[in-house]
Amino acid sequence: MPLNYVKISEKYRPTKINTLLIGEAPPPCGTKYFYLPQKLKTNIAIRQDRSLPATIFWHYFHQRPQDEKEYIVLLNSLKDAGIFLVDIMDEPIRIRGNKENEERLVNELPFFRSKLEMRGINVPEEDMIFLLARNTYKQYIRKHFKYAPLIPWIEYRLNTEEMITKKYGLDAKFNRCGYDKQAYNLVDYIKKLTDFTVVSNMNDNYNHMGATITDAVLQAGITYETVVKPRVKHLMNKYPSAKTTHEFWLLLQEIGPVSLLNFNGNKGQRILEVTKFFDEHNIQTEENLYCWLSNNKNAEKLLSIKGIGDKTVDYFKILVGIKTSAIDRHLYGFLEKAGVKSSDYSTAQKIVNDAADILRVDKALFDHSIWKYMSQRQMSKMKSQCF
């Protein structure tokens, strides 16, 4: 049965399209498509990787998905940024080396705008980008689309947004990725810091849901190294069997959160509520939690638990490997030092995440780098006050 390419792509269509990427046609095999998650080849240099997914993902995120789950996360990131891909033809045909099919493609161009309108896609030419796998029909595109940029795949794949903007004479103020303008100010500030470095890696997830829940719930407003970290380590070492949510729930029922974690206060009750919530939703492992939190509607459900805010939800995401940032007092302080104003949590997070994309670094690593930078400065200040 032929794939319904339009229906498949609609799942990842942004509410507002900031950039409309335009390709030729779906792959000729008829079984693959950009919006069908797949594992990409990562054992070849990006210059030689001529696939459309590699071209788009490397341009925007400087990475190729390692598996289908990561592919879905990147598709959702494109959706969140208002970036959408359509093809001139909805039929899987081979263009390369086939003059007849290339002529069919050219003949579709006069009707392409009408086809977009039928789908409810009304995007000005300045917001379109034709991604060219070949240059043989550029003049025909230009005949019908005078202002849309025409960019070869390899150039789009290997160049950053800033380089593309300069090379193709686009308005430098036009933000094709939808980045917050203050993200550029944050990047400029970071580049001037001589002692700021982006960490190259973070610890892998715990593979222990008891540890993950404990870490995420306890960390807010508490010294991590001396309070949170030792309790998480103790829990993992003494109760390795509590690696699933249900086993951790049974342990909490048997011992109680205060005795189990040697921690007083209302966070013990919060750990109980979060564990019960995950258990009732059959979220038993970090892998389950990764998939569940990848759906923003699910993430919002966590907020119904008293004491769980946006930052804790995003911190859960980081713990299970989702690439994002969790805005805490350290990150707010860093933004303030950079002279960057943020009116609320979502604005601050967009600025930080956009800056990570501009710098072509992992969002979670960028978050941790800022947190570590500010923590070390705070520690140095506290030590100096002791003398």
Side-chain angles (χ1 to χ4, degrees):
M1 185 175 179
L3 295 176
N4 187 331
Y5 299 105
V6 172
K7 184 177 180 180
I8 293 170
S9 66
E10 283 297 309
K11 180 179 179 180
Y12 298 101
R13 177 173 165 177
T15 304
K16 181 181 182 301
I17 298 175
N18 296 319
T19 302
L20 185 68
L21 302 176
I22 302 168
E24 293 180 337
C29 64
T31 58
K32 293 184 177 182
Y33 183 46
F34 177 76
Y35 283 109
L36 282 177
Q38 58 188 286
K39 180 180 179 180
L40 299 188
K41 295 179 180 178
T42 56
N43 59 343
I44 56 177
I46 190 63
R47 175 176 284 276
Q48 279 72 50
D49 193 341
R50 297 178 178 179
S51 72
L52 183 60
T55 295
I56 293 175
F57 291 140
W58 193 266
H59 175 81
Y60 286 107
F61 309 113
H62 209 64
Q63 68 180 97
R64 288 173 285 187
Q66 302 289 323
D67 51 40
E68 291 185 10
K69 288 192 300 181
E70 195 167 279
Y71 197 110
I72 291 171
V73 171
L74 293 183
L75 286 179
N76 282 318
S77 296
L78 289 175
K79 180 180 179 180
D80 292 343
I83 300 163
F84 192 53
L85 171 73
V86 297
D87 289 309
I88 297 170
M89 299 188 69
D90 294 323
E91 178 186 350
I93 62 172
R94 183 177 297 280
I95 308 295
R96 181 182 299 167
N98 191 314
K99 285 291 183 183
E100 181 181 344
N101 283 342
E102 186 173 317
E103 287 180 11
R104 289 178 61 192
L105 182 75
V106 169
N107 291 336
E108 284 288 324
L109 288 170
F111 311 103
F112 182 58
R113 198 184 301 274
S114 297
K115 187 172 83 169
L116 292 177
E117 290 175 355
M118 288 177 64
R119 291 186 63 179
I121 299 176
N122 297 291
V123 176
E125 286 188 33
E126 292 82 358
D127 293 2
M128 299 178 181
I129 295 178
F130 282 84
L131 296 176
L132 304 181
R134 65 209 87 252
N135 292 317
T136 51
Y137 54 87
K138 284 175 66 173
Q139 68 273 27
Y140 300 108
I141 298 177
R142 187 54 73 215
K143 181 179 177 181
H144 300 285
F145 297 87
K146 294 182 180 180
Y147 306 109
L150 314 180
I151 306 176
W153 281 23
I154 189 168
E155 291 193 20
Y156 205 69
R157 181 163 65 248
L158 300 180
N159 290 301
T160 64
E161 201 71 9
E162 183 180 3
M163 294 165 70
I164 289 291
T165 297
K166 289 180 179 179
K167 182 163 186 175
Y168 286 87
L170 305 176
D171 184 354
K173 294 181 180 179
F174 178 69
N175 192 344
R176 200 168 289 277
C177 287
Y179 292 144
D180 192 293
K181 292 181 180 178
Q182 293 203 84
Y184 290 99
N185 296 334
L186 179 59
V187 170
D188 289 340
Y189 173 75
I190 288 172
K191 287 181 177 179
K192 293 175 184 177
L193 297 175
T194 58
D195 56 346
F196 183 90
T197 57
V198 176
V199 297
S200 57
N201 58 69
M202 294 172 62
N203 295 329
D204 293 334
N205 65 40
Y206 293 120
N207 193 28
H208 189 290
M209 280 297 287
T212 297
I213 295 169
T214 299
D215 189 330
V217 175
L218 287 187
Q219 50 78 35
I222 292 178
T223 305
Y224 187 85
E225 289 294 328
T226 58
V227 180
V228 181
K229 188 174 180 179
R231 283 166 171 78
V232 170
K233 187 175 180 180
H234 172 77
L235 176 64
M236 291 180 66
N237 291 338
K238 189 169 183 179
Y239 303 101
S241 62
K243 62 187 305 181
T244 68
T245 301
H246 189 66
E247 289 298 326
F248 185 53
W249 171 249
L250 294 177
L251 186 64
L252 287 168
Q253 294 299 299
E254 178 185 350
I255 302 176
V258 175
S259 298
L260 179 64
L261 301 172
N262 189 27
F263 192 89
N264 295 311
N266 56 14
K267 288 190 176 183
Q269 180 61 32
R270 201 167 301 153
I271 287 173
L272 276 170
E273 292 175 7
V274 170
T275 305
K276 181 181 179 182
F277 178 90
F278 285 161
D279 195 35
E280 289 175 345
H281 286 78
N282 200 28
I283 302 167
Q284 297 299 326
T285 65
E286 276 91 344
E287 185 175 10
N288 294 157
L289 187 55
Y290 178 102
C291 295
W292 192 80
L293 285 174
S294 294
N295 184 326
N296 287 332
K297 290 183 179 179
N298 285 336
E300 290 173 4
K301 294 177 184 177
L302 260 185
L303 298 174
S304 64
I305 299 176
K306 185 177 180 180
I308 300 296
D310 291 322
K311 190 258 179 175
T312 301
V313 172
D314 287 326
Y315 189 71
F316 264 120
K317 290 182 179 180
I318 291 174
L319 287 178
V320 297
I322 296 176
K323 301 180 190 310
T324 189
S325 59
I327 310 300
D328 67 356
R329 57 192 174 88
H330 288 309
L331 273 74
Y332 277 121
F334 190 79
L335 292 177
E336 185 177 348
K337 284 182 175 295
V340 172
K341 297 180 180 179
S342 56
S343 57
D344 53 33
Y345 182 93
S346 60
T347 301
Q349 185 182 54
K350 178 168 174 51
I351 292 170
V352 171
N353 286 348
D354 285 355
D357 284 342
I358 294 168
L359 290 168
R360 296 292 192 259
V361 297
D362 181 290
K363 294 182 181 70
L365 292 179
F366 187 57
D367 168 288
H368 188 63
S369 301
I370 296 175
W371 182 88
K372 189 174 181 180
Y373 177 83
M374 293 298 288
S375 296
Q376 289 174 344
R377 286 174 64 90
Q378 184 182 51
M379 187 64 68
S380 297
K381 184 177 179 180
M382 290 173 62
K383 288 182 178 178
S384 66
Q385 291 175 346
C386 294
F387 297 97

